[in-house]
Amino acid sequence: MNADESALGSLAASRKIIVAIDGPAGAGKSTVARHLAQHFGLLNLETGAMYRAFALKALRSDVPLDDSKGLETLAADTTIRLETGEEENRVLLDGEDVTGLLRNQIVTDAASRVSVFPAIRAWMVRLQQELGAVGGVVMEGRDIGTVVFPHADAKIFLDAAPEVRGMRRFDQLGPKVAVQPEDVIRDLRARDQRDRNRADSPLKPAEDAVLLDSTNMTLDEVVKAAEDLVAAKLAQQDAPDPH
Ligand code: DC
């Protein structure tokens, strides 16, 4: 980080800015959030990791993933903490570090299932609002700009064609995982379908979100566009009030 960037970073943190990044799976939210956090000196909070941690707890229990009452009872007996790390958040489930257990297909699918229930969402939203209340954060998820922080200072909705998102996911998985690109794209479409069509806070852009479609952009270009947007918000806040 050069001197200008670090000055910008402390400026952002001192202003307690809240940046919301929403969008479907594989759109590049985590990469963009990580870069923005580093560039502007913000805390990076991945809300998807919290749903994943609760999904892991449900999978370890005997509560079926469609039993809303059972899941609600389980949630009442669960603590989830997010700690910021270098590359990704460290996730503590009832005090256990489960960070390395959350990215497989079973937990991914379960997270999308448990997150449809209003009681689970209300609990998560409360936790996320507490985490972000200090400000100076970039928070990524599905409902940050619409529900968690409707008054966020900057809102970005990151999207891309399902085939492109699926291929990015496939490339991330690497050759060790025995799946075909078609399988990854099919799973991603099924998750999109659930995330976009659930009754409670479905995935959709906030009215005042800036839409970034990364279908034909490199991730570097997307990161640059997001940085410019946040820098513009900061400059706006900096401008003297004409009245
Ligand atoms: O961002 P992710 O892939 O880690 O999210 C996992 C699941 O959690 C996703 O399918 C939907 C759910 N989720 C949500 O409903 N709301 C959020 N703010 C974040 C994630």
Side-chain angles (χ1 to χ4, degrees):
M1 189 186 276
N2 63 34
D4 277 359
E5 282 176 350
S6 100
L8 207 51
S10 49
L11 202 66
S14 72
R15 289 231 189 70
K16 306 293 183 202
I17 192 173
I18 295 180
V19 180
I21 304 186
D22 291 301
K29 297 188 299 294
S30 302
T31 309
V32 171
R34 205 163 43 238
H35 276 82
L36 289 181
Q38 277 164 4
H39 190 81
F40 294 103
L42 304 170
L43 282 180
N44 176 18
L45 299 170
E46 298 168 80
T47 59
M50 300 170 77
Y51 287 95
R52 286 170 184 269
F54 180 62
L56 177 66
K57 173 124 174 188
L59 288 167
R60 283 172 168 179
S61 75
D62 54 5
V63 180
L65 297 177
D66 58 358
D67 175 1
S68 67
K69 277 279 158 239
L71 290 174
E72 198 176 333
T73 307
L74 193 67
D77 189 31
T78 303
T79 60
I80 292 174
R81 288 211 346 252
L82 270 192
E83 293 179 352
T84 47
E86 277 287 298
E87 278 299 306
E88 59 175 355
N89 289 162
R90 225 162 69 90
V91 191
L92 300 175
L93 171 64
D94 298 323
E96 176 193 350
D97 186 343
V98 294
T99 315
L101 306 177
L102 302 180
R103 299 279 152 196
N104 61 65
Q105 193 51 44
I106 293 173
V107 173
T108 299
D109 186 63
S112 168
R113 289 175 188 280
V114 298
S115 65
V116 302
F117 296 112
I120 303 302
R121 301 204 67 81
W123 167 54
M124 289 287 177
V125 166
R126 222 171 30 249
L127 282 176
Q128 290 155 11
Q129 286 171 335
E130 279 168 23
L131 280 171
V134 286
V137 299
V138 49
M139 190 173 274
E140 60 115 329
R142 304 289 188 287
D143 57 347
I144 311 305
T146 49
V147 177
V148 181
F149 286 112
H151 302 299
D153 302 279
K155 298 183 188 178
I156 297 171
F157 191 89
L158 209 53
D159 208 347
E163 297 75 18
V164 171
R165 291 186 283 118
M167 282 313 293
R168 284 185 195 151
R169 269 286 139 89
F170 177 72
D171 291 341
Q172 271 170 4
L173 290 172
K176 284 200 196 121
V177 182
V179 285
Q180 297 303 312
E182 308 81 80
D183 301 329
V184 179
I185 295 170
R186 192 201 48 232
D187 289 346
L188 192 121
R189 280 187 192 277
R191 204 141 73 90
D192 273 7
Q193 178 79 2
R194 238 182 343 251
D195 293 350
R196 289 185 202 270
N197 294 312
R198 65 180 173 230
D200 187 3
S201 28
L203 169 66
K204 63 170 185 205
E207 276 179 13
D208 52 350
V210 172
L211 302 186
L212 276 181
D213 186 329
S214 69
T215 305
N216 295 310
M217 293 165 88
T218 64
L219 271 178
D220 280 351
E221 288 169 334
V222 180
V223 165
K224 177 76 175 66
E227 271 178 17
D228 288 350
L229 188 96
V230 174
K233 286 283 169 193
L234 286 171
Q236 245 174 34
Q237 289 186 348
D238 226 12
D241 189 341
H243 303 292

